[in-house]
Amino acid sequence: MSTRGCLAANDWICGEYLRSRGQELTDATVQHVWITAVSVAIGLLVAFPLALLARSRPVFAGPVLGLTTLLYTIPSLAMFSLLLPLFGLSAGLVITGLVLYSLTILVRNILAGLDSVPEEAREAARGMGYGPGRLLWEVELPLALPALMAGLRIATVSTVALTTIGSIVGRGGLGNLIDDALQNFFKAQVLAASVLCVLLAVAADLLLLGVQRLLTPWTRIRTPRDTGRKGDKTRTGDTAPASAGAVG
Amino acid sequence: MGVLGEAWTWLATAGHWVGDGGVWHRLQEHVTVSATALLIACAIALPVAFFLGHLGRGGAVAINISNVGRAVPVFAVLALFMVSPLRNSGSVPTVIALVLFAVPPLLTNAYVGMAEVDRAVVEAARGMGMSGWQLFLRVELPLAHPLVMTGLRSASVQVVATATIAAMVGQGGLGRIITAGFNTYNTPQVVAGALLVALLALLVEGALLLLDRLIGPAAARRAPAAGAPAAPARKDPAAQDPARKDPARTTA
């Protein structure tokens, strides 16, 4: 440790810290990305059948939406704590909590996306002899993609932020660094980890936006009708709240 | 579940409820901080949202601000406050952090509620000679009411939930029961604290839903149908959706 310099002075911004603890920052970031990616992936795998179930059996729609909404209300710290007896201090605990949180947004958006598929498109596909499986895979899913991807982006960004709470059990990626730095008021580490966390969320959001653009080339075609309708695309993608809100 | 039984025993012990670190004291801290933050957030967000919505400007800002809010970890913000001079100012860091996180859902929902009021109704009101104020109070606000309430609900629940995280940086509130349990490897206490926090959040959610049912939509439904913000009524009651943080529109 050098006696002078920004580490000793405990400055907010410190190049020396970034140099000397680069490995620590990298490891924490890798853990953060890994936890987020696994959680969202599992969330998607669970949310999809749930959404299909809610759609095909209206009886289940209420319970599925109600339960995921209920889960969303539980504060993160409480969620992780309630899972403690089941998982102990493990990454599995954090991932399970994050999966449960992601379900709400994913299920809702998948449902909204499937609802937005025009009935004519379904009829046409059926008329061409598409069975239910092929109809879902080749017609409904592509058309539901904008809403699904919007949900995925929201879920991912939220998950990146929520992962930090995992530091309560020592599995919080960059949150661990923040937690450690709090003990001794290590400003540079708190700031660096926080900024990295936000950058990670933004990067993930942009990455998914890119994937969405790649997967839905037809939305990029500008017809004369579309010009001047800025944000049209995002509107379809985001059936989330406006519809729900006004039900009040 | 043995742990749940032990958690229940913890909760049933009178000694855990009294004193400085007791449940009652922590609950009082939690509620005070949450209520303060919510009031400040409403005072900031609602006037701005109504003003912008009335003018029909600044929509992009109102929508995108909520997306920014989602990307910022509460824990990080609180930690930054706690390594700054603010740490010596009692519960101020928690209140500021909570205000920051309550403003986006309030602002976004109120703005969208105002923006979605049928233009024809606004035109008609203007044609009847209403002033800007009359238009706002008699037409726009009643029609935007359901969405404003949704925003208030999600902001309240978010604030109560977020106040828990304050414990992770050594601030007060119910979360302290959980963190204290973690520090002493007392799993029953951790679970008991978690149950208390979850229960409080659900209670706030339920109370606001009930309040909304009693005095909210009934009035809105009697409003002229033509002007009602077009919202397809969902089949399920669960669609009254607390989870929805805000018009989840994404930045394109």
Side-chain angles (χ1 to χ4, degrees), chain A residues 106-122:
Chain A
L106 291 175
V107 169
R108 271 173 201 287
N109 274 272
I110 293 170
L111 272 177
L114 291 172
D115 281 346
S116 71
V117 175
E119 198 52 43
E120 297 88 341
R122 277 200 200 96

Side-chain angles (χ1 to χ4, degrees), chain B residues 101-138:
Chain B
F101 283 91
V103 163
L106 285 168
L107 186 69
T108 309
N109 276 289
Y111 176 84
V112 171
M114 292 284 288
E116 290 199 344
V117 172
D118 195 333
R119 284 299 104 195
V121 177
V122 174
E123 293 300 320
R126 287 225 183 264
M128 287 165 66
M130 282 194 184
S131 68
W133 265 114
Q134 284 175 316
L135 174 70
F136 169 65
L137 289 175
R138 293 194 198 165

